[in-house]
């Protein structure tokens, strides 16, 4: 799964909410983990501290 836009992110968040905090084993757990990983990748790509255009840290 890949999240490319904020709309995709919102849809993923809604799906995680529907799955609940403790999805059962099997397909639900696999989906929960895939969505979580995709959300983390999206958040990392779009984090302001990581998108400063190559500025050096002081």
């Amino acid at each position: 799964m890949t999240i490319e836009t904020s709309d995709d992110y919102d849809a993923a968040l809604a799906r995680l909410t529907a799955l609940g905090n403790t999805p059962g084993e099997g397909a639900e757990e696999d989906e929960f983990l895939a969505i979580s990983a995709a959300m983390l990748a999206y958040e990392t790509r779009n984090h302001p501290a990581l998108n400063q255009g190559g500025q050096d840290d002081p």
Side-chain angles (χ1 to χ4, degrees):
M1 171 177 209
T2 302
I3 297 175
E4 297 293 335
T5 67
S6 61
D7 289 339
D8 293 343
Y9 186 90
D10 292 341
L13 185 59
R15 181 61 186 144
L16 281 183
T17 301
L19 287 171
N21 290 333
T22 53
E25 291 186 21
E28 284 187 349
E29 182 180 38
D30 293 344
E31 182 180 9
F32 181 89
L33 293 173
I35 292 170
S36 297
M39 290 175 77
L40 179 60
Y42 175 83
E43 291 167 2
T44 301
R45 280 193 316 272
N46 293 294
H47 193 282
L50 302 175
N51 292 317
Q52 294 181 3
Q55 295 178 349
D56 293 331
D57 289 333

